């Protein structure tokens, strides 16, 4: 009889032992599979986070003036690893029809103006992305918005403004432009400012808009800072070197990973805890399964003696032992996949349904998770089975046969 047939016959004959070992393999498979799902999901989520928020360089002028030109931006955008840019510039403007918030009695021009902050996308990075400013109502400024404005809630309250209202601005040269309020934001730091701070520098008078309105007021010019997003996070350092060679005097370049690091920290903690549990599961499972199989092997000495007397080799017996263990393990893998696919989603949603780890609640069993389970779980089973068979493999066949006479 072939070794694989003997293995399945033994499992059918020893139903109690087989079910016990199957149950152990089932629990081990579930623990390993859930660990692989969490680890892989955390890795993929971290990669997406970095592509969206973390893989960027911040190019800015040292004096805050608009020294970054359109020509320089065109060269930067032509680089293969640049995914997108978020341009930013600022200038003071006179409000027309409303008044800035100030506690100072200074007659300086800066105490009668507001600061217009023009950005391609206010929600992509910096103040709003880092939650220093929070949008209370309305929508952010992005590339689809034309002549849109975000105002501070205190400025809006002081002037009776609301979303949809029109605001007018004027420059010293007499140029005028108007925009519509599309959102109202709040910082929480407004009340902590000193009363002597001039209006142009107060948080309440920081007004965000798009570049179309800004150009209408101040004409075409450069930019004071540009966030440069990298399409391949692993090439961020190379991109840094390429852009550094294009920089003019008075410009500064830095890698900005603050938001990414803050969002990534909980994922790294979850991955670290899961990795520790995975290692402990593999170690404890190896010990438990090896001990159980070793105890069973001691009771199978006569069985192996009979097989050797009938002409079976030790390799044949070893393959039978592997067949028994691997057969039960494969059944447990099928059960673990079904169980995890049905119940793990609900369990993960309860554990990570809210907060910064919410992405883990969407984890699902995929083919790569199954392959990882088969690889690590199969190695564990083969190692434990081989370890339990060592006494049989080392013992002289004559000694094994002599036990038949006892």
């Amino acid at each position: 009889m072939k070794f694989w047939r003997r293995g399945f016959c033994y499992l059918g004959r020893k139903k109690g032992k087989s079910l016990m070992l199957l149950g152990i393999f089932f629990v081990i498979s579930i623990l390993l599979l859930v660990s692989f799902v969490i680890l892989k999901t955390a890795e993929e989520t971290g990669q997406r986070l970095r592509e969206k928020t973390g893989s960027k360089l911040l190019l800015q002028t040292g004096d805050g003036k608009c020294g970054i030109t359109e020509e320089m931006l065109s060269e930067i955008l032509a680089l293969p690893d640049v995914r997108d840019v978020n341009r930013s510039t600022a200038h003071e403007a006179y409000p027309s029809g409303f008044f800035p918030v100030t506690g100072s009695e200074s007659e300086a021009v800066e105490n009668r103006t507001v600061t217009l902050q023009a950005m391609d996308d206010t929600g992509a990075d910096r103040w709003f992305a880092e939650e220093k400013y929070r949008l209370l109502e309305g929508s952010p400024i992005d590339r689809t918005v034309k002549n849109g404005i975000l105002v501070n809630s205190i400025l809006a309250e002081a002037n009776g403004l609301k979303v949809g209202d029109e605001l007018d601005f004027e420059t010293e040269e007499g140029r005028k432009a108007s925009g519509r309020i599309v959102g109202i934001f709040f910082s929480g730091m407004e009340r902590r400012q000193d009363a002597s701070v001039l209006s142009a520098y107060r948080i309440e008078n920081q007004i965000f808009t798009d570049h179309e309105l800004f150009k209408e007021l101040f004409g075409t010019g450069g930019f004071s800072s540009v966030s440069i997003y990298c399409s391949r996070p692993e090439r961020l350092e190379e991109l840094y070197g390429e852009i550094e060679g294009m920089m003019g005097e008075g410009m500064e370049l830095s890698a900005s990973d603050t938001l990414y690091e803050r969002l990534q920290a909980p994922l790294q903690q979850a991955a670290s805890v899961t990795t520790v549990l995975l290692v402990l599961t593999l170690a404890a499972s190896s010990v438990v399964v090896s001990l159980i199989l070793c105890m069973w092997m001691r009771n199978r000495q006569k069985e192996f003696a009979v097989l050797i007397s009938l002409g079976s080799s030790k390799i044949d017996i070893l393959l039978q032992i592997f067949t028994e263990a691997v057969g039960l393990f494969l059944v447990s893998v099928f059960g673990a996949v079904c169980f995890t696919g049905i119940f793990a989603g609900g369990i993960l949603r309860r554990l990570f349904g809210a907060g910064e780890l919410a992405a883990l609640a969407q984890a699902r069993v995929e083919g790569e998770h199954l392959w990882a389970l088969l690889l690590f779980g199969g190695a564990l089973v083969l190692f434990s089975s081989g370890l339990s068979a060592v006494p049989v493999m080392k013992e002289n066949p004559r000694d094994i046969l002599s036990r038949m006479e006892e």
Side-chain angles (χ1 to χ4, degrees), residues 39 70 111 117 141 146 207 223 243 250 284 302-303 336 375:
L39 286 174
E70 291 279 7
N111 202 39
Q117 303 269 2
I141 301 292
K146 301 299 180 184
I207 298 177
F223 308 95
I243 296 176
K302 291 186 177 181
E303 175 190 345
L375 176 63

Side-chain angles (χ1 to χ4, degrees), residues 170-397:
E170 188 174 344
T171 66
E172 289 184 351
E173 294 79 15
R175 303 182 69 168
K176 298 181 180 180
S178 62
R180 181 175 57 86
I181 298 176
V182 297
I184 296 176
F185 69 90
F186 181 70
S187 169
M189 298 295 291
E190 291 89 347
R191 304 301 186 190
R192 301 183 185 182
Q193 299 172 108
D194 192 276
S196 62
V197 176
L198 302 181
S199 67
Y201 310 123
R202 295 186 67 88
I203 297 174
E204 300 96 320
N205 302 316
Q206 303 301 304
I207 298 177
F208 292 86
T209 185
D210 58 275
H211 287 287
E212 292 297 323
L213 188 149
F214 195 90
K215 288 180 180 179
E216 193 175 338
L217 268 177
F218 304 106
T220 58
F223 308 95
S224 58
S225 68
V226 178
S227 294
I228 305 165
Y229 303 100
C230 182
S231 58
R232 291 187 291 174
E234 65 277 7
R235 282 190 49 81
L236 190 62
E237 292 184 5
E238 288 82 354
L239 181 61
Y240 185 101
E242 293 173 355
I243 296 176
E244 193 174 29
M246 302 178 182
M247 291 168 50
E249 293 184 6
M251 295 185 184
E252 301 172 357
L253 182 65
S254 60
S256 178
D257 290 334
T258 305
L259 179 60
Y260 166 73
E261 294 296 337
R262 181 174 64 80
L263 296 176
Q264 175 72 350
L267 290 173
Q268 290 178 334
Q269 292 175 357
S272 298
V273 172
T274 304
T275 301
V276 172
L277 293 177
L278 176 61
V279 172
L280 291 176
T281 299
L282 288 170
S285 301
S286 299
V287 173
V288 171
V289 174
S290 297
L291 289 175
I292 291 176
L293 291 177
C294 284
M295 289 189 296
W296 289 359
M297 291 303 163
R298 293 182 61 184
N299 299 325
R300 300 181 66 180
Q301 295 293 326
K302 291 186 177 181
E303 175 190 345
F304 295 142
V306 171
L307 291 174
I308 290 176
S309 68
L310 294 176
S312 296
S313 65
K314 287 186 177 181
I315 296 299
D316 203 48
I317 294 174
L318 180 63
L319 292 175
Q320 177 186 339
I321 295 172
F322 284 160
T323 299
E324 296 165 1
V326 171
L328 292 176
F329 172 68
L330 292 177
V331 175
S332 73
V333 168
F334 176 78
V337 170
C338 294
F339 178 87
T340 306
I342 296 172
F343 298 106
I347 296 173
L348 292 175
R349 279 192 293 273
R350 289 181 179 273
L351 291 175
F352 310 114
E356 296 172 313
L357 295 176
L360 297 181
Q362 307 302 319
R364 294 290 183 272
V365 178
E366 299 179 359
E368 53 191 329
H369 305 141
L370 178 58
W371 283 114
L373 174 58
L374 291 173
L375 176 63
F376 285 88
L380 184 152
V381 169
L382 291 176
F383 170 78
S384 301
S385 301
L387 188 64
S388 67
V390 168
V392 177
M393 298 297 104
K394 290 178 63 177
E395 198 166 5
N396 192 295

Side-chain angles (χ1 to χ4, degrees), residues 2 6 9 45 57 85 94-95 116 138 146 152-153 165 183 249 288 298 329 370 380 404:
K2 297 291 185 181
R6 290 200 310 270
C9 288
T45 303
L57 300 173
V85 296
Y94 290 96
L116 284 180
K146 301 299 180 184
N152 185 274
S153 59
D165 288 350
E249 293 184 6
V288 171
R298 293 182 61 184
F329 172 68
L370 178 58
L380 184 152
M404 297 180 62

